[in-house]
Amino acid sequence: MPLPAPGDVAAIAEALRRGERAVLARAITLVESRKAEHRRTARALLQAVLPATGGAVRLGLTGPPGVGKSTTLDALGTMLTGRGHRVAVLAIDPSSTRTGGSILGDKTRMARLSLDRAAYVRPSPSGGSLGGVAARTREAMLLCEAAGFDVVIVETVGTGQSETAVAEMVDTFAVLLLPGAGDELQGIKKGVLEIADVLAVNKADGENRARAGLAAAELRAALQILGRHDPVWTPAVVTVSGLTGEGLEDFWSQVLLHRERMTASGRLAETRARQQVAWMWAMIRERFEAGLRDNPALAERLPELEADVREGRLAASVAADEVAERLGLGEV
């Protein structure tokens, strides 16, 4: 069956709901595009498929480089497709701050899942976005749900940049950690422990099994000291091995248990509603900034203000005030 024309929103939406993978790939490329005509089509497409979204388990997974996120997801995703799930993985690769380039090697590190017809792995560059999340990850999640994927996993860069951005778009936020205790915990940010729903110590196999168990015990103690009191959920700490698959059933059980309790308490619906509003404001800020740069009243003055701030001749707050005044916003 031929692919729908790029601007045929109804045909794209229908093909998406049929689960056509080539159309899903093209649709995600469409929402990632910066071209104005593509953005218009993307907005119409998202509105058209909105009723078919929202049914998936949305899982965010982060962790430091080298912790084995892709290997673990390969094993986890294969386990889930074996149980009849359809799994979409949105793997965000770091972009170069100089060239904007990205390695996009996650597909090669998820060898089994990439070939699984019940799975879809989409690597996307972070584009320098905070939280290691691609600019259009939220839209891509909705498109995957519309295409019938009932588990959507966002694998993030994990470079320590505001993981809150990830937690604010998923139902369950999981952190993958390396085995070891004591010194290993020194590098874990308090903020990550405050927002993590599940913490998994990876590489818990062979000689590392005992070290992973000790690290898990240290994490549980750290969480108690942190004093995170939630009547609905206490963060779970498990040990896993992405290499052998050990512990992944327990990990997934904790993800489902978290979702079950959130749903029963009404928190899941509340969280998703809050996330949608936060997403709206994020898009408004993005459009506002883009409009600023194209505004005729600022076209000549903005480069001058940037140069003055960069060279230290003008305070950033003063420059911001001038921009606001030129737009008729007054003092903020």
PDB file of all heavy atoms in Angstrom, residues 59-64 67 69 72 156 158 163 166-167 172-178 188-189 191-202 219 228 236-240 251 255:
ATOM      1  N   LEU A  59       6.674   4.996  30.186  1.00  0.00           N
ATOM      2  CA  LEU A  59       7.800   4.786  31.090  1.00  0.00           C
ATOM      3  C   LEU A  59       8.997   5.610  30.639  1.00  0.00           C
ATOM      4  O   LEU A  59       9.379   5.584  29.462  1.00  0.00           O
ATOM      5  CB  LEU A  59       8.179   3.303  31.112  1.00  0.00           C
ATOM      6  CG  LEU A  59       9.462   2.910  31.850  1.00  0.00           C
ATOM      7  CD1 LEU A  59       9.343   3.199  33.348  1.00  0.00           C
ATOM      8  CD2 LEU A  59       9.784   1.440  31.603  1.00  0.00           C
ATOM      9  N   GLY A  60       9.587   6.340  31.560  1.00  0.00           N
ATOM     10  CA  GLY A  60      10.824   7.064  31.280  1.00  0.00           C
ATOM     11  C   GLY A  60      11.980   6.342  31.941  1.00  0.00           C
ATOM     12  O   GLY A  60      11.862   5.903  33.094  1.00  0.00           O
ATOM     13  N   LEU A  61      13.082   6.192  31.237  1.00  0.00           N
ATOM     14  CA  LEU A  61      14.252   5.510  31.797  1.00  0.00           C
ATOM     15  C   LEU A  61      15.489   6.359  31.565  1.00  0.00           C
ATOM     16  O   LEU A  61      15.786   6.751  30.430  1.00  0.00           O
ATOM     17  CB  LEU A  61      14.446   4.150  31.136  1.00  0.00           C
ATOM     18  CG  LEU A  61      15.603   3.308  31.695  1.00  0.00           C
ATOM     19  CD1 LEU A  61      15.282   2.838  33.111  1.00  0.00           C
ATOM     20  CD2 LEU A  61      15.891   2.110  30.801  1.00  0.00           C
ATOM     21  N   THR A  62      16.185   6.668  32.642  1.00  0.00           N
ATOM     22  CA  THR A  62      17.412   7.434  32.534  1.00  0.00           C
ATOM     23  C   THR A  62      18.498   6.754  33.355  1.00  0.00           C
ATOM     24  O   THR A  62      18.247   5.773  34.058  1.00  0.00           O
ATOM     25  CB  THR A  62      17.200   8.890  33.003  1.00  0.00           C
ATOM     26  OG1 THR A  62      18.344   9.668  32.646  1.00  0.00           O
ATOM     27  CG2 THR A  62      17.008   8.971  34.513  1.00  0.00           C
ATOM     28  N   GLY A  63      19.703   7.293  33.275  1.00  0.00           N
ATOM     29  CA  GLY A  63      20.831   6.726  33.991  1.00  0.00           C
ATOM     30  C   GLY A  63      22.118   7.245  33.401  1.00  0.00           C
ATOM     31  O   GLY A  63      22.134   7.750  32.273  1.00  0.00           O
ATOM     32  N   PRO A  64      23.209   7.135  34.132  1.00  0.00           N
ATOM     33  CA  PRO A  64      24.480   7.676  33.643  1.00  0.00           C
ATOM     34  C   PRO A  64      24.986   6.912  32.425  1.00  0.00           C
ATOM     35  O   PRO A  64      24.638   5.742  32.227  1.00  0.00           O
ATOM     36  CB  PRO A  64      25.417   7.483  34.846  1.00  0.00           C
ATOM     37  CG  PRO A  64      24.820   6.343  35.601  1.00  0.00           C
ATOM     38  CD  PRO A  64      23.338   6.495  35.447  1.00  0.00           C
ATOM     39  N   VAL A  67      25.753   2.808  31.907  1.00  0.00           N
ATOM     40  CA  VAL A  67      25.012   1.995  32.872  1.00  0.00           C
ATOM     41  C   VAL A  67      24.305   0.822  32.198  1.00  0.00           C
ATOM     42  O   VAL A  67      23.889  -0.122  32.853  1.00  0.00           O
ATOM     43  CB  VAL A  67      23.992   2.864  33.640  1.00  0.00           C
ATOM     44  CG1 VAL A  67      22.801   3.216  32.768  1.00  0.00           C
ATOM     45  CG2 VAL A  67      23.549   2.179  34.927  1.00  0.00           C
ATOM     46  N   LYS A  69      21.669   1.212  29.586  1.00  0.00           N
ATOM     47  CA  LYS A  69      20.246   1.480  29.333  1.00  0.00           C
ATOM     48  C   LYS A  69      19.750   0.740  28.089  1.00  0.00           C
ATOM     49  O   LYS A  69      18.711   0.092  28.124  1.00  0.00           O
ATOM     50  CB  LYS A  69      20.021   2.985  29.173  1.00  0.00           C
ATOM     51  CG  LYS A  69      20.262   3.797  30.434  1.00  0.00           C
ATOM     52  CD  LYS A  69      19.844   5.239  30.274  1.00  0.00           C
ATOM     53  CE  LYS A  69      20.675   5.983  29.240  1.00  0.00           C
ATOM     54  NZ  LYS A  69      22.075   6.171  29.663  1.00  0.00           N
ATOM     55  N   THR A  72      19.593  -3.047  28.567  1.00  0.00           N
ATOM     56  CA  THR A  72      18.482  -3.394  29.448  1.00  0.00           C
ATOM     57  C   THR A  72      17.153  -3.256  28.724  1.00  0.00           C
ATOM     58  O   THR A  72      16.265  -4.119  28.849  1.00  0.00           O
ATOM     59  CB  THR A  72      18.497  -2.498  30.704  1.00  0.00           C
ATOM     60  OG1 THR A  72      19.748  -2.670  31.380  1.00  0.00           O
ATOM     61  CG2 THR A  72      17.359  -2.848  31.643  1.00  0.00           C
ATOM     62  N   THR A 156      16.412   8.259  27.870  1.00  0.00           N
ATOM     63  CA  THR A 156      17.014   9.580  27.792  1.00  0.00           C
ATOM     64  C   THR A 156      18.534   9.540  27.840  1.00  0.00           C
ATOM     65  O   THR A 156      19.139   8.518  28.157  1.00  0.00           O
ATOM     66  CB  THR A 156      16.508  10.470  28.934  1.00  0.00           C
ATOM     67  OG1 THR A 156      17.066  10.004  30.156  1.00  0.00           O
ATOM     68  CG2 THR A 156      14.999  10.428  29.036  1.00  0.00           C
ATOM     69  N   GLY A 158      20.653  10.912  29.913  1.00  0.00           N
ATOM     70  CA  GLY A 158      21.208  10.577  31.217  1.00  0.00           C
ATOM     71  C   GLY A 158      22.524  11.254  31.510  1.00  0.00           C
ATOM     72  O   GLY A 158      23.420  10.668  32.109  1.00  0.00           O
ATOM     73  N   GLU A 163      16.545  15.897  34.796  1.00  0.00           N
ATOM     74  CA  GLU A 163      15.717  14.728  34.503  1.00  0.00           C
ATOM     75  C   GLU A 163      14.244  15.007  34.773  1.00  0.00           C
ATOM     76  O   GLU A 163      13.375  14.229  34.368  1.00  0.00           O
ATOM     77  CB  GLU A 163      16.175  13.527  35.343  1.00  0.00           C
ATOM     78  CG  GLU A 163      17.445  12.866  34.858  1.00  0.00           C
ATOM     79  CD  GLU A 163      18.698  13.520  35.443  1.00  0.00           C
ATOM     80  OE1 GLU A 163      18.584  14.592  36.082  1.00  0.00           O
ATOM     81  OE2 GLU A 163      19.796  12.973  35.251  1.00  0.00           O
ATOM     82  N   VAL A 166      11.994  14.719  31.861  1.00  0.00           N
ATOM     83  CA  VAL A 166      11.557  13.379  31.479  1.00  0.00           C
ATOM     84  C   VAL A 166      10.380  12.957  32.348  1.00  0.00           C
ATOM     85  O   VAL A 166       9.358  12.477  31.855  1.00  0.00           O
ATOM     86  CB  VAL A 166      12.704  12.359  31.655  1.00  0.00           C
ATOM     87  CG1 VAL A 166      12.276  10.997  31.130  1.00  0.00           C
ATOM     88  CG2 VAL A 166      13.956  12.846  30.975  1.00  0.00           C
ATOM     89  N   ALA A 167      10.522  13.122  33.651  1.00  0.00           N
ATOM     90  CA  ALA A 167       9.482  12.705  34.588  1.00  0.00           C
ATOM     91  C   ALA A 167       8.164  13.407  34.311  1.00  0.00           C
ATOM     92  O   ALA A 167       7.094  12.869  34.604  1.00  0.00           O
ATOM     93  CB  ALA A 167       9.928  12.984  36.028  1.00  0.00           C
ATOM     94  N   THR A 172       5.589   6.704  34.812  1.00  0.00           N
ATOM     95  CA  THR A 172       6.547   6.152  35.762  1.00  0.00           C
ATOM     96  C   THR A 172       7.950   6.520  35.317  1.00  0.00           C
ATOM     97  O   THR A 172       8.315   6.338  34.147  1.00  0.00           O
ATOM     98  CB  THR A 172       6.421   4.620  35.852  1.00  0.00           C
ATOM     99  OG1 THR A 172       5.092   4.272  36.228  1.00  0.00           O
ATOM    100  CG2 THR A 172       7.405   4.052  36.870  1.00  0.00           C
ATOM    101  N   PHE A 173       8.732   7.039  36.247  1.00  0.00           N
ATOM    102  CA  PHE A 173      10.109   7.468  35.951  1.00  0.00           C
ATOM    103  C   PHE A 173      11.070   6.524  36.656  1.00  0.00           C
ATOM    104  O   PHE A 173      11.044   6.392  37.884  1.00  0.00           O
ATOM    105  CB  PHE A 173      10.306   8.902  36.428  1.00  0.00           C
ATOM    106  CG  PHE A 173      11.690   9.441  36.202  1.00  0.00           C
ATOM    107  CD1 PHE A 173      12.234   9.495  34.931  1.00  0.00           C
ATOM    108  CD2 PHE A 173      12.450   9.904  37.262  1.00  0.00           C
ATOM    109  CE1 PHE A 173      13.507   9.999  34.722  1.00  0.00           C
ATOM    110  CE2 PHE A 173      13.719  10.411  37.068  1.00  0.00           C
ATOM    111  CZ  PHE A 173      14.256  10.463  35.793  1.00  0.00           C
ATOM    112  N   ALA A 174      11.908   5.845  35.878  1.00  0.00           N
ATOM    113  CA  ALA A 174      12.845   4.869  36.432  1.00  0.00           C
ATOM    114  C   ALA A 174      14.276   5.322  36.189  1.00  0.00           C
ATOM    115  O   ALA A 174      14.593   5.902  35.149  1.00  0.00           O
ATOM    116  CB  ALA A 174      12.616   3.497  35.797  1.00  0.00           C
ATOM    117  N   VAL A 175      15.128   5.041  37.168  1.00  0.00           N
ATOM    118  CA  VAL A 175      16.546   5.385  37.074  1.00  0.00           C
ATOM    119  C   VAL A 175      17.362   4.103  37.151  1.00  0.00           C
ATOM    120  O   VAL A 175      17.177   3.287  38.062  1.00  0.00           O
ATOM    121  CB  VAL A 175      16.975   6.341  38.205  1.00  0.00           C
ATOM    122  CG1 VAL A 175      18.456   6.688  38.081  1.00  0.00           C
ATOM    123  CG2 VAL A 175      16.130   7.604  38.177  1.00  0.00           C
ATOM    124  N   LEU A 176      18.249   3.921  36.187  1.00  0.00           N
ATOM    125  CA  LEU A 176      19.135   2.767  36.148  1.00  0.00           C
ATOM    126  C   LEU A 176      20.493   3.186  36.696  1.00  0.00           C
ATOM    127  O   LEU A 176      21.040   4.222  36.301  1.00  0.00           O
ATOM    128  CB  LEU A 176      19.275   2.284  34.699  1.00  0.00           C
ATOM    129  CG  LEU A 176      19.632   0.815  34.461  1.00  0.00           C
ATOM    130  CD1 LEU A 176      18.577  -0.101  35.076  1.00  0.00           C
ATOM    131  CD2 LEU A 176      19.757   0.539  32.966  1.00  0.00           C
ATOM    132  N   LEU A 177      21.022   2.391  37.623  1.00  0.00           N
ATOM    133  CA  LEU A 177      22.266   2.739  38.298  1.00  0.00           C
ATOM    134  C   LEU A 177      23.271   1.601  38.200  1.00  0.00           C
ATOM    135  O   LEU A 177      22.907   0.439  37.988  1.00  0.00           O
ATOM    136  CB  LEU A 177      21.990   3.063  39.769  1.00  0.00           C
ATOM    137  CG  LEU A 177      21.019   4.224  40.014  1.00  0.00           C
ATOM    138  CD1 LEU A 177      20.528   4.208  41.444  1.00  0.00           C
ATOM    139  CD2 LEU A 177      21.683   5.549  39.685  1.00  0.00           C
ATOM    140  N   LEU A 178      24.533   1.932  38.392  1.00  0.00           N
ATOM    141  CA  LEU A 178      25.598   0.937  38.357  1.00  0.00           C
ATOM    142  C   LEU A 178      25.729   0.255  39.714  1.00  0.00           C
ATOM    143  O   LEU A 178      25.411   0.841  40.744  1.00  0.00           O
ATOM    144  CB  LEU A 178      26.918   1.606  37.989  1.00  0.00           C
ATOM    145  CG  LEU A 178      27.041   2.085  36.540  1.00  0.00           C
ATOM    146  CD1 LEU A 178      28.222   3.017  36.393  1.00  0.00           C
ATOM    147  CD2 LEU A 178      27.181   0.893  35.602  1.00  0.00           C
ATOM    148  N   ILE A 188      24.942  10.389  42.909  1.00  0.00           N
ATOM    149  CA  ILE A 188      23.518  10.430  42.604  1.00  0.00           C
ATOM    150  C   ILE A 188      22.921  11.725  43.139  1.00  0.00           C
ATOM    151  O   ILE A 188      23.008  12.012  44.326  1.00  0.00           O
ATOM    152  CB  ILE A 188      22.787   9.223  43.227  1.00  0.00           C
ATOM    153  CG1 ILE A 188      23.389   7.927  42.705  1.00  0.00           C
ATOM    154  CG2 ILE A 188      21.303   9.280  42.902  1.00  0.00           C
ATOM    155  CD1 ILE A 188      22.830   6.706  43.381  1.00  0.00           C
ATOM    156  N   LYS A 189      22.319  12.489  42.263  1.00  0.00           N
ATOM    157  CA  LYS A 189      21.752  13.759  42.679  1.00  0.00           C
ATOM    158  C   LYS A 189      20.525  13.547  43.549  1.00  0.00           C
ATOM    159  O   LYS A 189      19.696  12.672  43.290  1.00  0.00           O
ATOM    160  CB  LYS A 189      21.373  14.591  41.453  1.00  0.00           C
ATOM    161  CG  LYS A 189      22.556  15.027  40.620  1.00  0.00           C
ATOM    162  CD  LYS A 189      22.130  16.008  39.553  1.00  0.00           C
ATOM    163  CE  LYS A 189      21.113  15.410  38.624  1.00  0.00           C
ATOM    164  NZ  LYS A 189      20.692  16.358  37.577  1.00  0.00           N
ATOM    165  N   GLY A 191      17.996  15.360  43.689  1.00  0.00           N
ATOM    166  CA  GLY A 191      16.806  15.631  42.894  1.00  0.00           C
ATOM    167  C   GLY A 191      16.306  14.408  42.152  1.00  0.00           C
ATOM    168  O   GLY A 191      15.098  14.223  41.982  1.00  0.00           O
ATOM    169  N   VAL A 192      17.222  13.541  41.695  1.00  0.00           N
ATOM    170  CA  VAL A 192      16.818  12.328  40.989  1.00  0.00           C
ATOM    171  C   VAL A 192      16.096  11.391  41.939  1.00  0.00           C
ATOM    172  O   VAL A 192      15.069  10.791  41.597  1.00  0.00           O
ATOM    173  CB  VAL A 192      18.043  11.633  40.363  1.00  0.00           C
ATOM    174  CG1 VAL A 192      17.656  10.285  39.775  1.00  0.00           C
ATOM    175  CG2 VAL A 192      18.649  12.514  39.290  1.00  0.00           C
ATOM    176  N   LEU A 193      16.620  11.245  43.156  1.00  0.00           N
ATOM    177  CA  LEU A 193      15.968  10.392  44.143  1.00  0.00           C
ATOM    178  C   LEU A 193      14.588  10.918  44.505  1.00  0.00           C
ATOM    179  O   LEU A 193      13.687  10.154  44.843  1.00  0.00           O
ATOM    180  CB  LEU A 193      16.830  10.286  45.407  1.00  0.00           C
ATOM    181  CG  LEU A 193      18.185   9.593  45.257  1.00  0.00           C
ATOM    182  CD1 LEU A 193      18.897   9.533  46.598  1.00  0.00           C
ATOM    183  CD2 LEU A 193      18.028   8.193  44.686  1.00  0.00           C
ATOM    184  N   GLU A 194      14.403  12.218  44.428  1.00  0.00           N
ATOM    185  CA  GLU A 194      13.124  12.825  44.805  1.00  0.00           C
ATOM    186  C   GLU A 194      12.033  12.581  43.770  1.00  0.00           C
ATOM    187  O   GLU A 194      10.847  12.610  44.098  1.00  0.00           O
ATOM    188  CB  GLU A 194      13.302  14.318  45.035  1.00  0.00           C
ATOM    189  CG  GLU A 194      14.084  14.656  46.298  1.00  0.00           C
ATOM    190  CD  GLU A 194      14.327  16.139  46.458  1.00  0.00           C
ATOM    191  OE1 GLU A 194      14.365  16.856  45.426  1.00  0.00           O
ATOM    192  OE2 GLU A 194      14.485  16.585  47.601  1.00  0.00           O
ATOM    193  N   ILE A 195      12.423  12.347  42.531  1.00  0.00           N
ATOM    194  CA  ILE A 195      11.405  12.186  41.485  1.00  0.00           C
ATOM    195  C   ILE A 195      11.332  10.769  40.924  1.00  0.00           C
ATOM    196  O   ILE A 195      10.405  10.453  40.180  1.00  0.00           O
ATOM    197  CB  ILE A 195      11.629  13.174  40.317  1.00  0.00           C
ATOM    198  CG1 ILE A 195      13.004  12.942  39.662  1.00  0.00           C
ATOM    199  CG2 ILE A 195      11.491  14.614  40.785  1.00  0.00           C
ATOM    200  CD1 ILE A 195      13.249  13.833  38.453  1.00  0.00           C
ATOM    201  N   ALA A 196      12.300   9.906  41.276  1.00  0.00           N
ATOM    202  CA  ALA A 196      12.295   8.540  40.749  1.00  0.00           C
ATOM    203  C   ALA A 196      11.191   7.719  41.397  1.00  0.00           C
ATOM    204  O   ALA A 196      10.953   7.798  42.598  1.00  0.00           O
ATOM    205  CB  ALA A 196      13.644   7.884  40.993  1.00  0.00           C
ATOM    206  N   ASP A 197      10.485   6.926  40.577  1.00  0.00           N
ATOM    207  CA  ASP A 197       9.468   6.007  41.080  1.00  0.00           C
ATOM    208  C   ASP A 197      10.039   4.609  41.270  1.00  0.00           C
ATOM    209  O   ASP A 197       9.616   3.873  42.152  1.00  0.00           O
ATOM    210  CB  ASP A 197       8.286   5.950  40.103  1.00  0.00           C
ATOM    211  CG  ASP A 197       7.657   7.314  39.898  1.00  0.00           C
ATOM    212  OD1 ASP A 197       7.255   7.937  40.902  1.00  0.00           O
ATOM    213  OD2 ASP A 197       7.580   7.770  38.740  1.00  0.00           O
ATOM    214  N   VAL A 198      10.982   4.245  40.411  1.00  0.00           N
ATOM    215  CA  VAL A 198      11.654   2.950  40.506  1.00  0.00           C
ATOM    216  C   VAL A 198      13.143   3.166  40.272  1.00  0.00           C
ATOM    217  O   VAL A 198      13.533   3.849  39.331  1.00  0.00           O
ATOM    218  CB  VAL A 198      11.115   1.947  39.462  1.00  0.00           C
ATOM    219  CG1 VAL A 198      11.828   0.592  39.611  1.00  0.00           C
ATOM    220  CG2 VAL A 198       9.608   1.766  39.589  1.00  0.00           C
ATOM    221  N   LEU A 199      13.968   2.602  41.140  1.00  0.00           N
ATOM    222  CA  LEU A 199      15.414   2.648  40.963  1.00  0.00           C
ATOM    223  C   LEU A 199      15.902   1.222  40.762  1.00  0.00           C
ATOM    224  O   LEU A 199      15.572   0.329  41.552  1.00  0.00           O
ATOM    225  CB  LEU A 199      16.104   3.277  42.175  1.00  0.00           C
ATOM    226  CG  LEU A 199      15.758   4.749  42.406  1.00  0.00           C
ATOM    227  CD1 LEU A 199      14.989   4.890  43.710  1.00  0.00           C
ATOM    228  CD2 LEU A 199      16.992   5.614  42.433  1.00  0.00           C
ATOM    229  N   ALA A 200      16.657   1.003  39.697  1.00  0.00           N
ATOM    230  CA  ALA A 200      17.136  -0.338  39.379  1.00  0.00           C
ATOM    231  C   ALA A 200      18.654  -0.339  39.284  1.00  0.00           C
ATOM    232  O   ALA A 200      19.234   0.440  38.531  1.00  0.00           O
ATOM    233  CB  ALA A 200      16.528  -0.816  38.058  1.00  0.00           C
ATOM    234  N   VAL A 201      19.281  -1.202  40.086  1.00  0.00           N
ATOM    235  CA  VAL A 201      20.734  -1.359  40.031  1.00  0.00           C
ATOM    236  C   VAL A 201      21.028  -2.410  38.969  1.00  0.00           C
ATOM    237  O   VAL A 201      20.641  -3.581  39.105  1.00  0.00           O
ATOM    238  CB  VAL A 201      21.311  -1.790  41.392  1.00  0.00           C
ATOM    239  CG1 VAL A 201      22.830  -1.909  41.304  1.00  0.00           C
ATOM    240  CG2 VAL A 201      20.921  -0.785  42.472  1.00  0.00           C
ATOM    241  N   ASN A 202      21.691  -2.006  37.900  1.00  0.00           N
ATOM    242  CA  ASN A 202      21.942  -2.885  36.762  1.00  0.00           C
ATOM    243  C   ASN A 202      23.237  -3.683  36.944  1.00  0.00           C
ATOM    244  O   ASN A 202      24.013  -3.438  37.857  1.00  0.00           O
ATOM    245  CB  ASN A 202      22.003  -2.060  35.478  1.00  0.00           C
ATOM    246  CG  ASN A 202      21.925  -2.928  34.230  1.00  0.00           C
ATOM    247  OD1 ASN A 202      21.410  -4.050  34.278  1.00  0.00           O
ATOM    248  ND2 ASN A 202      22.425  -2.425  33.121  1.00  0.00           N
ATOM    249  N   LEU A 219      20.673   2.362  48.658  1.00  0.00           N
ATOM    250  CA  LEU A 219      19.666   3.238  48.056  1.00  0.00           C
ATOM    251  C   LEU A 219      18.402   3.289  48.913  1.00  0.00           C
ATOM    252  O   LEU A 219      17.812   4.352  49.108  1.00  0.00           O
ATOM    253  CB  LEU A 219      19.323   2.746  46.645  1.00  0.00           C
ATOM    254  CG  LEU A 219      20.290   3.144  45.538  1.00  0.00           C
ATOM    255  CD1 LEU A 219      19.998   2.348  44.266  1.00  0.00           C
ATOM    256  CD2 LEU A 219      20.197   4.640  45.248  1.00  0.00           C
ATOM    257  N   ARG A 228      11.069  10.906  51.793  1.00  0.00           N
ATOM    258  CA  ARG A 228      10.025  11.138  50.791  1.00  0.00           C
ATOM    259  C   ARG A 228       8.753  10.419  51.233  1.00  0.00           C
ATOM    260  O   ARG A 228       8.672   9.188  51.196  1.00  0.00           O
ATOM    261  CB  ARG A 228      10.502  10.627  49.427  1.00  0.00           C
ATOM    262  CG  ARG A 228       9.447  10.733  48.336  1.00  0.00           C
ATOM    263  CD  ARG A 228      10.028  10.341  46.996  1.00  0.00           C
ATOM    264  NE  ARG A 228       9.003  10.093  46.011  1.00  0.00           N
ATOM    265  CZ  ARG A 228       9.238   9.736  44.754  1.00  0.00           C
ATOM    266  NH1 ARG A 228      10.477   9.611  44.346  1.00  0.00           N
ATOM    267  NH2 ARG A 228       8.263   9.512  43.914  1.00  0.00           N
ATOM    268  N   ALA A 236      10.403   2.120  44.616  1.00  0.00           N
ATOM    269  CA  ALA A 236      10.891   0.742  44.679  1.00  0.00           C
ATOM    270  C   ALA A 236      12.354   0.688  44.248  1.00  0.00           C
ATOM    271  O   ALA A 236      12.784   1.422  43.352  1.00  0.00           O
ATOM    272  CB  ALA A 236      10.048  -0.154  43.774  1.00  0.00           C
ATOM    273  N   VAL A 237      13.116  -0.191  44.893  1.00  0.00           N
ATOM    274  CA  VAL A 237      14.519  -0.407  44.524  1.00  0.00           C
ATOM    275  C   VAL A 237      14.686  -1.879  44.183  1.00  0.00           C
ATOM    276  O   VAL A 237      14.372  -2.758  45.004  1.00  0.00           O
ATOM    277  CB  VAL A 237      15.475  -0.029  45.679  1.00  0.00           C
ATOM    278  CG1 VAL A 237      16.919  -0.256  45.257  1.00  0.00           C
ATOM    279  CG2 VAL A 237      15.260   1.423  46.102  1.00  0.00           C
ATOM    280  N   VAL A 238      15.153  -2.157  42.978  1.00  0.00           N
ATOM    281  CA  VAL A 238      15.333  -3.537  42.535  1.00  0.00           C
ATOM    282  C   VAL A 238      16.722  -3.700  41.931  1.00  0.00           C
ATOM    283  O   VAL A 238      17.401  -2.721  41.622  1.00  0.00           O
ATOM    284  CB  VAL A 238      14.264  -3.942  41.494  1.00  0.00           C
ATOM    285  CG1 VAL A 238      12.871  -3.834  42.082  1.00  0.00           C
ATOM    286  CG2 VAL A 238      14.374  -3.063  40.240  1.00  0.00           C
ATOM    287  N   THR A 239      17.146  -4.948  41.758  1.00  0.00           N
ATOM    288  CA  THR A 239      18.391  -5.245  41.052  1.00  0.00           C
ATOM    289  C   THR A 239      18.039  -5.974  39.761  1.00  0.00           C
ATOM    290  O   THR A 239      17.124  -6.810  39.731  1.00  0.00           O
ATOM    291  CB  THR A 239      19.333  -6.110  41.900  1.00  0.00           C
ATOM    292  OG1 THR A 239      18.677  -7.335  42.244  1.00  0.00           O
ATOM    293  CG2 THR A 239      19.756  -5.380  43.167  1.00  0.00           C
ATOM    294  N   VAL A 240      18.739  -5.634  38.689  1.00  0.00           N
ATOM    295  CA  VAL A 240      18.462  -6.246  37.389  1.00  0.00           C
ATOM    296  C   VAL A 240      19.768  -6.549  36.663  1.00  0.00           C
ATOM    297  O   VAL A 240      20.836  -6.039  37.028  1.00  0.00           O
ATOM    298  CB  VAL A 240      17.598  -5.323  36.490  1.00  0.00           C
ATOM    299  CG1 VAL A 240      16.270  -4.993  37.154  1.00  0.00           C
ATOM    300  CG2 VAL A 240      18.346  -4.036  36.151  1.00  0.00           C
ATOM    301  N   PHE A 251      11.224  -5.753  38.005  1.00  0.00           N
ATOM    302  CA  PHE A 251      11.228  -4.341  37.608  1.00  0.00           C
ATOM    303  C   PHE A 251       9.891  -3.972  36.960  1.00  0.00           C
ATOM    304  O   PHE A 251       9.255  -2.980  37.333  1.00  0.00           O
ATOM    305  CB  PHE A 251      12.383  -4.082  36.635  1.00  0.00           C
ATOM    306  CG  PHE A 251      12.361  -2.719  36.008  1.00  0.00           C
ATOM    307  CD1 PHE A 251      12.882  -1.620  36.686  1.00  0.00           C
ATOM    308  CD2 PHE A 251      11.830  -2.521  34.743  1.00  0.00           C
ATOM    309  CE1 PHE A 251      12.862  -0.354  36.113  1.00  0.00           C
ATOM    310  CE2 PHE A 251      11.806  -1.259  34.156  1.00  0.00           C
ATOM    311  CZ  PHE A 251      12.325  -0.179  34.843  1.00  0.00           C
ATOM    312  N   VAL A 255       6.715  -1.327  37.947  1.00  0.00           N
ATOM    313  CA  VAL A 255       6.171  -0.296  37.051  1.00  0.00           C
ATOM    314  C   VAL A 255       4.651  -0.407  37.001  1.00  0.00           C
ATOM    315  O   VAL A 255       3.931   0.598  37.108  1.00  0.00           O
ATOM    316  CB  VAL A 255       6.779  -0.434  35.633  1.00  0.00           C
ATOM    317  CG1 VAL A 255       6.052   0.493  34.650  1.00  0.00           C
ATOM    318  CG2 VAL A 255       8.272  -0.118  35.656  1.00  0.00           C
TER     319      VAL A 255
END
